Amino acid sequence: MKKNIIRIAELRLSSFRNVLNGSFRMPSAISKDSSAPDILGIYGQNGSGKTAAIEALSVMRKLISGESLPGESREYINIDSMKASVSISFRIESEESCHEVRYLVEIGDRNGEAAISKESLFIREDGEREHLLASFERGDKVLRPMKMMKAITCNSRDKRIDLLVAMKMSEKEDVSVFFSDDGGFDVFSSLESEQNRILAHYIKTLREYAETSFIVLSTDDSTLHADKKLPITYQVRKNDEVLTGSMLLDISHAFTISTADADFLSKLIEGMNTVLDQIVPRLRIGLFIKGDAITEKGEKGVEAELVSFKNGTPIPLRFESVGIIKIISMLSVLMGVYNSPSVCLVIDEFDSSIFEYLLGELISIFRDGAKGQLIFTSHNLRVLEMVGKESIVFSTSDPNNRFTRIRAGKDSNLRDEYIRALLLNKAESISGTADSHDISRAFRLAWQDADEE
């Protein structure tokens, strides 16, 4: 039986950060073709909502994985609003059918802290209207629609108590009532009746997807930290099982690592080198073992250091460029996106520290052959020359319509169209900046004012 293909179809934001309203659909959801490479770059001026989209995707990944609402979530609610909402749709294809499942979360204020106030799951089959699967509002003691509540409890007092306890736990821990172990995941995923099997199936399917194939990298997750700690996010296949995770390695000096972790890291590096050698000719990395050691947990381990090899000579990895270190940190998950149709990798500031030509080459390679989804923000306009208009969304200066696509002819260059629109002031909502003469005048006036003081 063919495995389900799961892809993000749409993201909608309301009063989230500086986005009062904004949404975009992925290219595969527009074309309804999951076999095509699915790349989406988000471009726009500083402060126009690019990172807000990445943060929203990160929040949804955590909730669907069963994790709690992030502690900084109070900052996600727009300063002029009482609540924020994020809605993410997934297109789920099997041999028998194709459905779009939408998960909606509302974040409100609870005693000065952010908290989940409402959750809903919707479903829509191609060509049909969307309808509600289940919804739960905090403080309520029922699941809606009521027929779903009755179907789940089956008029059983014990099952109703189990569901009420799950609802209460989800409120206390600020986790999803549908997807979290502390919420009702066990209750919902064990549903067996014909009426509930659809809800149970999609809850289990989406949680498994979020845990293994939905990866969001903030700038901190893909760059070398100030204290020389390098995050390496990985996705590997082992015995038909997908393992996704991350390691934070101190590359400022040699570090102690367990023997098992050292073996895993060495195999991970071996796979990465196959690609790295092609991206940066004659460059390979390795784990240089200095000797035996004991870890802080008392496990047998080794003292090791990450090194790069150029022409066979080992050099501590910390002496490599920031751009090469960034590529290394996310190379494993990029390999996953290229080879698996249900993997989605989200990267904030993908272009940071990466050579413009290399960035363009990577994007063109993924455009032509990637099986999964790649969503990223960038400022480098080189990418606009490498992909079609359906693969680019521009963030705007209009908080009520934060994301838009530019209309461009079939054979036109999207980068040229974008720059032309800015120069001719035809895209004021996209640029959101003043005329260059006004900016120049402001610089002069500011200097004169300072001189007068």
Side-chain angles (χ1 to χ4, degrees), residues 41-68:
I42 306 175
Y43 278 76
Q45 65 162 333
N46 296 327
S48 62
K50 299 187 302 298
T51 296
I54 304 300
E55 290 174 327
L57 288 166
S58 179
V59 168
M60 299 306 264
R61 189 211 64 79
K62 290 178 179 178
L63 293 179
I64 298 172
S65 297
E67 300 175 30
S68 60

Side-chain angles (χ1 to χ4, degrees), residues 14-26:
S14 178
S15 297
F16 189 92
R17 289 281 198 187
N18 59 352
V19 182
L20 294 183
N21 282 292
S23 66
F24 57 77
R25 285 185 72 79
M26 294 296 293

Side-chain angles (χ1 to χ4, degrees), residues 59 62-63 65-71 73 116 173-176 180:
V59 168
K62 290 178 179 178
L63 293 179
S65 297
E67 300 175 30
S68 60
L69 191 68
S73 297
I116 299 172
E173 301 297 329
D174 216 10
V175 295
S176 168
S180 173

Side-chain angles (χ1 to χ4, degrees), residues 369-394:
K371 294 181 179 179
Q373 290 185 298
L374 177 63
I375 302 173
F376 62 91
T377 67
S378 176
H379 297 97
N380 194 310
L381 300 184
R382 165 73 171 160
V383 176
L384 301 188
E385 298 177 325
M386 311 306 294
V387 297
K389 61 181 183 297
E390 71 282 351
S391 292
I392 297 294
V393 167
F394 293 96

Side-chain angles (χ1 to χ4, degrees), residues 352-365:
S352 176
S353 303
I354 296 181
F355 179 46
E356 181 181 49
Y357 179 78
L358 176 57
L359 176 68
E361 290 301 293
L362 286 173
I363 291 298
S364 66
I365 290 168

